[in-house]
């Protein structure tokens, strides 16, 4: 199950409730965060347990009617994403999970947000809009020029990456500006970031090899030093022998 990063609609937050009586697996009750959203497209084919991405966060539908749906947000979700910043009336990007036979016009988006970055700058160029966004050291290696990134669930192309200042930018065409929430936010507000999952899988697959190469290079470095010291020692011994014979 994946998403495409092609936002289907913008929904409206109509409920933000911290409930103290959510039923746990063992029948006990605990506090939880319930988000209620009004929309149209995402309700087509909706069912209890289906996945809907809200600002790029994959969430499970726990209740719905003809106009709204509800999802529960776990503590980890609130820590990692911008969903905790939402208020009644805020717009959010909405996308249903992709069906097996669907066309993917974006990229493979898991809905597993890595972190929330901050909008640093908006800058117009013609009818397009530049957006500069901050990110952490942990995410920097996975964000590359002309690579994919999901920002609040929108599949976008990275333009520039500044490793030293820890930011990247992207450009929104006029059509995209009308269909997503990013241009409606202000400088300083947060956006959800998910790096291309293929890059993360590739990095994980090669991390063990990289560690082995680093250890080997370290060992070879030590061996080189020992060999050099041995040669120096041998040279010194030869010099002393030659000197003693000359006497």
């Amino acid at each position: 199950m994946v998403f495409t990063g092609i936002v289907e609609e913008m929904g409206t937050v109509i409920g933000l409730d911290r409930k103290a009586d959510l039923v746990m697996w063992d029948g006990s009750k605990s506090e939880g965060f319930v988000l209620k959203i009004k929309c149209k497209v995402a309700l087509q084919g909706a069912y209890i347990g289906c996945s809907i991405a809200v600002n790029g966060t994959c969430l499970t539908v726990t209740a719905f009617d003809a106009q709204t749906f509800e999802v529960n947000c776990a503590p980890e979700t609130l820590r990692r994403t911008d969903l905790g910043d939402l208020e009644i009336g805020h717009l959010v990007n909405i996308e249903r999970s992709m069906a097996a036979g669907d066309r993917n016009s974006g990229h493979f988006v898991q809905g597993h947000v890595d972190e929330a970055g901050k909008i640093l700058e908006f800058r117009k160029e013609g009818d397009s809009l530049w957006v500069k966004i901050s990110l952490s050291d942990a995410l920097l290696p996975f964000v590359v020029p002309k690579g994919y990134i999901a920002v609040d669930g929108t599949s976008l192309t990275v333009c520039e990456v500044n490793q030293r200042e820890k930011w990247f930018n992207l450009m929104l065409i006029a059509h995209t500006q009308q269909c997503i929430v990013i241009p409606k936010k202000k400088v300083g507000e947060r956006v959800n970031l998910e790096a291309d999952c293929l890059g993360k899988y590739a990095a994980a697959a090669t991390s063990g090899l990289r560690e082995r190469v680093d250890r080997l290079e370290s060992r070879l470095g030590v061996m080189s030093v020992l060999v050099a010291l041995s040669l120096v020692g041998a040279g010194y011994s030869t010099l002393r022998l030659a000197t003693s014979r000359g006497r």
Side-chain angles (χ1 to χ4, degrees):
M1 184 276 298
V2 295
F3 301 91
T4 68
I6 304 301
V7 175
E8 294 186 288
E9 65 177 323
M10 287 184 284
T12 303
V13 176
I14 63 170
L16 291 165
D17 297 317
R18 291 192 180 275
K19 297 185 177 180
D21 58 350
L22 290 178
V23 179
M24 304 289 284
W25 84 98
D26 59 358
S28 63
K29 294 183 179 180
S30 184
E31 182 179 336
F33 185 84
V34 179
L35 180 61
K36 189 172 186 178
I37 297 170
K38 183 178 181 180
C39 63
K40 294 181 180 178
V41 177
L43 293 171
Q44 297 173 17
Y47 57 88
I48 300 299
C50 73
S51 295
I52 295 179
V54 179
N55 276 359
T57 308
C58 179
L59 298 170
T60 301
V61 173
T62 57
F64 71 96
D65 56 30
Q67 294 185 313
T68 67
F69 71 89
E70 292 184 7
V71 290
N72 289 10
C73 298
E76 172 68 0
T77 301
L78 297 176
R79 282 191 293 266
R80 288 256 182 182
T81 73
D82 63 11
L83 298 184
D85 302 339
L86 294 175
E87 298 178 1
I88 301 296
H90 278 185
L91 295 176
V92 288
N93 290 334
I94 300 293
E95 183 192 354
R96 294 169 293 177
S97 56
M98 185 179 75
D102 281 356
R103 180 177 179 176
N104 189 341
S105 295
H107 73 282
F108 289 113
V109 177
Q110 293 177 307
H112 304 162
V113 174
D114 292 301
E115 65 183 42
K118 285 187 178 181
I119 297 173
L120 301 177
E121 179 185 66
F122 288 116
R123 178 168 57 87
K124 294 180 180 179
E125 183 177 344
D127 66 350
S128 295
L129 181 67
W130 284 99
V131 186
K132 182 191 288 187
I133 301 170
S134 69
L135 73 170
S136 70
D137 286 322
L139 200 57
L140 265 171
F142 306 106
V143 180
V144 297
K146 306 310 174 188
Y148 289 120
I149 191 167
V151 181
D152 271 347
T154 308
S155 175
L156 295 166
T157 303
V158 176
C159 292
E160 301 172 271
V161 180
N162 190 309
Q163 298 280 343
R164 184 173 59 84
E165 297 179 6
K166 302 176 186 177
W167 57 261
F168 71 95
N169 65 12
L170 48 88
M171 179 176 274
L172 303 177
I173 63 170
H175 170 76
T176 304
Q177 294 170 41
Q178 304 300 318
C179 300
I180 63 174
V181 301
I182 297 172
K184 296 172 175 52
K185 292 190 172 184
K186 299 176 182 178
V187 170
E189 289 192 62
R190 301 197 302 163
V191 288
N192 290 332
L193 303 178
E194 181 190 330
D196 185 5
C197 63
L198 298 182
K200 289 186 283 187
Y201 283 130
T206 59
S207 62
L209 177 61
R210 184 169 60 248
E211 291 171 4
R212 290 172 60 188
V213 170
D214 289 343
R215 287 198 299 269
L216 180 59
E217 288 180 343
S218 178
R219 289 172 60 187
L220 289 174
V222 171
M223 290 175 64
S224 297
V225 171
L226 291 175
V227 170
L229 289 174
S230 297
L231 292 174
V232 170
Y236 179 69
S237 298
T238 302
L239 180 61
R240 286 191 61 187
L241 181 59
T243 303
S244 63
R245 287 179 177 176
R247 291 177 182 173

